[in-house]
Amino acid sequence: DGNERQKERAAGALWNLAYNDDNRVAIAAAGGIEVFMSLVRDGNEMQKGRAAAVLANLADNNDHKVAIAAAGGIEVLVSLARDGNEGQKEEAAGALWNLAINDDLKVAIAAAGGIEVLIALARHGSEGQKDCAAGALWNLAVNDDNEAAIAAAGGVEVLVSLARDGNEMQKVLAAGALWSLAHNDNSVAIA
């Protein structure tokens, strides 16, 4: 209920605290997921970015992943990754990366248009956006339907480009995504 600056500072402090497992649990138990979802939806520019970063950290916990999704987080984060400012896009892609570890959420992210958004970030984003997008695409690629969707959306070419020309993190993440695409049951031809 504080003013705009207080909300920004509180979100920043909780972002730092949410790097710790026990703090993540305490933040979620105190209703933090709903608060940060509200800030991602309706906050000012700084609040949206910081809230997305906190959600990314909270999403390291599988129960929190499910709670974030149940609160409408997938759609909100995909939208922020597509339409936010540069920092918001990176934080939202980072949150999607963590959420995409969950098998059910892989499907939900794809249904919300996340694959196309992440491929766009991997192609034209900042270095941090490319890192997060490649990581999210790797997690999403461990699903047969997503594998086909990534290929159909031009993701193979983008991932090959990152594996060849990206920074060290991008090379590892893109190579992992390509490996997943090539080794699922309905393997994508990577040429």
Side-chain angles (χ1 to χ4, degrees):
D1 290 342
N3 65 37
E4 297 304 301
R5 184 71 177 142
Q6 290 167 332
K7 290 177 185 176
E8 290 168 11
R9 288 185 177 181
L14 289 167
W15 176 19
N16 288 329
L17 290 170
Y19 281 100
N20 173 280
D21 291 338
D22 293 334
N23 291 342
R24 279 193 286 273
V25 171
I27 292 166
I33 290 172
E34 295 79 13
V35 169
F36 292 111
M37 285 300 307
S38 176
L39 287 175
V40 168
R41 277 190 206 98
D42 303 318
N44 66 30
E45 294 302 300
M46 179 72 74
Q47 292 165 2
K48 287 180 180 182
R50 288 187 175 171
V54 175
L55 290 172
N57 288 346
L58 292 176
D60 272 348
N61 174 302
N62 197 53
D63 292 336
H64 300 159
K65 286 175 179 57
V66 173
I68 291 166
I74 301 291
E75 295 80 7
V76 171
L77 290 164
V78 168
S79 177
L80 193 62
R82 181 184 55 243
D83 302 323
N85 66 32
E86 295 305 302
Q88 293 166 354
K89 288 178 180 180
E90 181 175 339
E91 298 301 347
L96 292 168
W97 182 0
N98 285 343
L99 291 168
I101 293 169
N102 177 292
D103 289 338
D104 293 332
L105 301 186
K106 287 175 185 9
V107 174
I109 291 167
I115 288 173
E116 294 81 5
V117 171
L118 292 164
I119 289 171
L121 289 175
R123 178 181 288 125
H124 299 297
S126 68
E127 292 300 301
Q129 291 166 2
K130 288 178 180 179
D131 292 349
C132 293
L137 288 167
W138 185 358
N139 288 341
L140 291 169
V142 185
N143 172 287
D144 290 343
D145 292 332
N146 289 350
E147 177 184 297
I150 290 167
V156 172
E157 295 81 5
V158 172
L159 291 166
V160 168
S161 177
L162 282 179
R164 182 185 56 236
D165 302 323
N167 66 32
E168 290 306 309
M169 167 94 55
Q170 293 160 10
K171 288 178 180 180
V172 168
L173 296 169
L178 290 166
W179 185 90
S180 291
L181 290 170
H183 287 88
N184 281 344
D185 292 338
N186 298 321
S187 297
V188 170
I190 300 185

